[in-house]
Amino acid sequence: MKLMVIGSGGREHALAWRLAKTPGLQKVFVTPGNAGTARERELENVNLTNPEALADFAAKHKVHLTVVGPEAPLAAGIVNLFRDRGLKIFGPTREAAQLESSKDFAKRFMARHNIPTARFATFSDSRAAHAYVDQQGAPIVIKADGLAAGKGVVVAMDLSEAHDAIDRMLPASGDSPAKDSAPARVLIEEFLEGEEASFIVMVDGKNVLPLASTQDHKRIGDGDTGPNTGGMGAYSPAPVVTPEVHARAMREIILPTVRGMAADGIPYTGFLYAGLMIGKDGSVKTVEFNCRLGDPETQPIMMRLKSDLLTLLDHAVAGRLNLVEASWDRRVALGVVLAAANYPGTPRTGDLISGLPQDSDDSHVFHAGTTERDGRIVTAGGRVLCVTTLADNVRQAQKRAYDIIIDLHFDGMQYRRDIGHRAVSR
């Protein structure tokens, strides 16, 4: 049996690594993969990204199932293409992926189906956006409407920061968009107080299977300071997701979303990620939807998963998620992202990586922005590695991860030294 994982990041490395543990498996193709997936004995990188070429490859090599990692192929309709050709694939269609590819679509969907979220307004005219911010005051949240790799969000703590974000995301009023391109839009949302958590489930169109709870760290700096990133680390389980919060999230957000998409004629299949804002009173609101697994949340989730991942995926594709359960390692998994110089701006690439350890049963270094050059592994993106460990509690998982990081090096390497601090301080 052969499987395929589409993507080149840490999420895809972790997915392929877990799938490679499937009994009787021949090969997991990773397209295009990275230097880390190239090092794994059971994985094989294939340098393809074009959707038609990927479908041709899956058909030629009789790939049993394809899993899509990143958001861009989903928004481009790769699931539609594979299904039209009778190829098994797990992910949402282009239409369903609008929950992530258009924040305006997602917010209007939530309003229509009474799914709790922040108040919002959408603008393509910069003067109107600036006037709205002046009227609402700060703190306030500015979001680019579209895919932004987790970095199109500015939580503006003062009006100056909010106006600067609008100027970056919207052309000046009166400027025309390029021919054949849609006008840029921003969403402006109320600032929500509380603690964020990642709530990720598998969906088969009707049934839902929750995955282990996680919490990530978006800001670049210790103490949650500096600009937002795609994520600087994560851990699982997330203590803030109590049994009561879990039940509310399922009852008030996840199940209404799945039913609402079906009612709108866009049945949802695939991983569904709800970013939750959890209030001190236990209330939950939706910060955003992603239509795939989170990165770096996937790395701790895959470390803790004890069930056979392919079994879960096969049930999902067959519409039978109600007949399967996921089992989890009782221990804590924690991942620390090592990022390149200048991230989250324009990251520097080509820096030599040294000190990569041998992986073990309770630690794994998942690669993201890496490539091999002249037999050596060098940086090739913003988030480079995710050092992920398992331990009996958060403090031990932290120590294990940071002990590994001591021996890792590339010029300009930056990382947070407080991943998991919220769990430790609870």
Side-chain angles (χ1 to χ4, degrees), residues 245-310:
V245 166
H246 190 285
R248 289 192 74 164
M250 287 292 291
R251 183 176 67 249
E252 299 177 12
I253 296 174
I254 299 298
L255 294 177
T257 297
V258 174
R259 292 168 185 153
M261 291 293 281
D264 288 353
I266 315 173
Y268 191 96
T269 59
F271 296 108
L272 178 64
Y273 170 132
L276 305 182
M277 184 64 76
I278 302 166
K280 291 182 179 179
D281 60 354
S283 62
V284 293
K285 288 189 176 181
T286 314
V287 176
E288 64 178 357
F289 284 120
N290 291 329
C291 293
R292 32 76 190 186
L293 284 165
D295 188 343
E297 293 95 335
T298 304
Q299 291 87 315
I301 288 174
M302 290 298 114
M303 285 288 283
R304 289 190 63 216
L305 181 64
K306 295 179 69 175
S307 302
D308 177 56
L309 179 56
L310 180 58

Side-chain angles (χ1 to χ4, degrees), residues 80 84 89 93 107 121 126 133 184 198 206 242 314 320 357 369-370:
N80 305 60
D84 287 346
I89 187 167
T93 62
K107 296 294 281 193
S126 62
V133 162
S198 306
K206 178 181 178 181
T242 63
D314 276 338
R320 299 198 303 266
T370 66

Side-chain angles (χ1 to χ4, degrees), residues 162-178:
H163 290 304
D164 287 347
I166 292 169
D167 287 338
R168 289 197 305 273
M169 295 179 190
L170 278 183
S173 296
D175 290 355
S176 299

Side-chain angles (χ1 to χ4, degrees), residues 367-390:
H367 289 230
T370 66
T371 191
E372 191 169 323
R373 185 179 300 165
D374 299 325
R376 302 190 299 177
I377 297 175
V378 300
T379 63
R383 291 183 294 171
V384 178
L385 304 168
C386 184
V387 178
T388 312
T389 60
L390 277 169

Side-chain angles (χ1 to χ4, degrees), residues 18 34 177 185 340 368:
R18 177 51 65 186
N34 57 44
R185 294 189 296 186

Side-chain angles (χ1 to χ4, degrees), residues 221-241:
D222 290 355
D224 300 315
T225 57
N228 272 339
T229 71
M232 292 300 294
Y235 58 94
S236 173
V240 70
V241 182

Side-chain angles (χ1 to χ4, degrees), residues 65-78:
L65 175 68
T66 297
V67 184
V68 186
E71 59 271 31
L74 297 171
I78 194 166

